[in-house]
Every structure is written in structure tokens, then in C-alpha cells.
Amino acid sequence: ELKVEQNPLFLSMQEGKNYTIYCNYSTTSDRLYWYRQDPGKSLESLFVLLSNGAVKQEGRLMASLDTKARLSTLHITAAVHDLSATYFCAVEWYSGGGADGLTFGKGTHLIIQP
Amino acid sequence: SQTIHQWPATLVQPVGSPLSLECTVEGTSNPNLYWYRQAAGRGLQLLFYSVGIGQISSEVPQNLSASRPQDRQFILSSKKLLLSDSGFYLCAWSEKRKAFFGQGTRLTVV
């Protein structure tokens, strides 16, 4: 059974600081997603990481994937208030018959204070 | 372009009442469709997925059921809601190994 663990689950930080969110998963997968969710809203796709060593950056967010360690990180650089949200990582799985799906971590609730 | 419609956006239902949430996808054919639930303070849990019309797989035992009467329609139902069914329900579809989410339904069972 695929398990995905994120930490921390809650993070409060000041603007301008850096921090990293970690996502560990239990079985082999070569595709990992990061999503952002604002309160009461659906999920917004941030990054799709496709292979070992993949690194993607968008603005102040940078995501990386180490498939050997089964670890992905989401790094926040010089945080700003607009980045306050809940961030989810999700790992792709496959089953017989052509189905695929995502197993999500519990999310990291990020609050960035002025 | 592909779009996904999910409704209603918000629902308040009494315990013991039936439920029907609907999700439709446009701009694609034979998608894989999914229902996820996000309970308060928890992550997203996959409830059901479907690879085709009439084909439903359940990930967890629960008070809910799903149906796929048409290729691009996915319905989440319950005959009698429980308090524990409250949560944020998200429909999703995938194609070429990308997942797209609907806007979600906030269900409160009172």
C-alpha cells in the first residue's frame, strides 16, 4: 500500500524567510505532484516531477524529486503573504486495467505573516 | 480544451437524507474519473475511480457509492447520509498521466 507522508503539517513563518516542506512516500513511483489549495477552493497544480533528480521552479517555489530516497521537497524562498495556502504532494500509482490515481499526503498548512 | 464541471458547490443535508453529486467532463473521451474526499484537517482520500462506463472501483469501505452512466459523467451517491460524510468532495479526471480537479462540493451533514 502506497503511503505518502508530508511534514510539517502546519507551518507559520515570517515573510522573507526560507523553508522546505518534505514529502516521503513508501513505494516506487516515478511521478510526483505538488498542489496548492486555498481555503474553500479546489486544487491548483504547481509542479509535476517526472524523474529522479527533477527540479522545477516557479517564482519563489522550487520542487525537487529523489526517487531513490523516495523524497520530494518543496522549497520556499523569501516567502510572501500570497503564498499562504495548504500544499499537498501526491504520488501516482497504477493498477491493472489501466487505472491510475494519486495518493495524497495530509497537506502542509502554511501561514506567512508580515 | 478540457473542462470539468462539478455541482453543487455547497450542500447542507440532514442525517439520513440521500445524496447525489454530479461531475461531468468536456473535451475528452474515455477519461479515468475519480472521487476524492477531504475531511476537516485531513488530506485527500480517494473514494472511487472509474476507467469506463459502468466500471467502478472502491478504495475504502463507506456509506457512499458511485456510478458512471455515461462516458463523461461520474456520480457520487448515498442512500442515507451520516454525520461523518461531511467534507469537501472533489471530482477529478486524468489523461496522459495528468490529473485535473473540479471546483469541489462542500457537504455538511447536520
Side-chain angles (χ1 to χ4, degrees), chain A residues 56-75:
Chain A
K56 290 195 174 181
Q57 183 164 4
E58 181 74 31
R60 301 175 187 272
L61 300 178
M62 183 174 71
S64 66
L65 178 62
D66 181 343
T67 59
K68 294 180 180 178
R70 297 176 186 168
L71 170 69
S72 179
T73 62
L74 180 66
H75 187 73

Side-chain angles (χ1 to χ4, degrees), chain B residues 18-103:
Chain B
L19 172 73
S20 180
L21 303 181
E22 189 161 342
C23 173
T24 60
V25 180
E26 296 179 358
T28 186
S29 60
N30 197 31
N32 288 349
L33 296 173
Y34 309 82
W35 279 109
Y36 289 88
R37 176 172 62 198
Q38 183 179 25
R42 302 180 64 180
L44 279 85
Q45 181 184 40
L46 178 63
L47 302 177
F48 300 96
Y49 66 90
S50 171
V51 299
I53 296 174
Q55 300 179 62
I56 308 295
S57 297
S58 174
E59 285 295 293
V60 292
Q62 57 211 317
N63 184 44
L64 302 168
S65 62
S67 62
R68 186 168 176 176
Q70 300 180 47
D71 180 45
R72 289 171 286 178
Q73 183 185 31
F74 204 23
I75 298 172
L76 183 69
S77 304
S78 174
K79 293 182 179 178
K80 290 185 178 182
L81 283 169
L82 306 173
L83 287 174
S84 58
D85 291 325
S86 294
F88 189 55
Y89 289 82
L90 284 162
C91 177
W93 71 278
S94 71
E95 181 183 71
K96 299 179 180 178
R97 302 175 73 182
K98 285 186 177 180
F100 303 89
F101 288 85
Q103 290 304 301

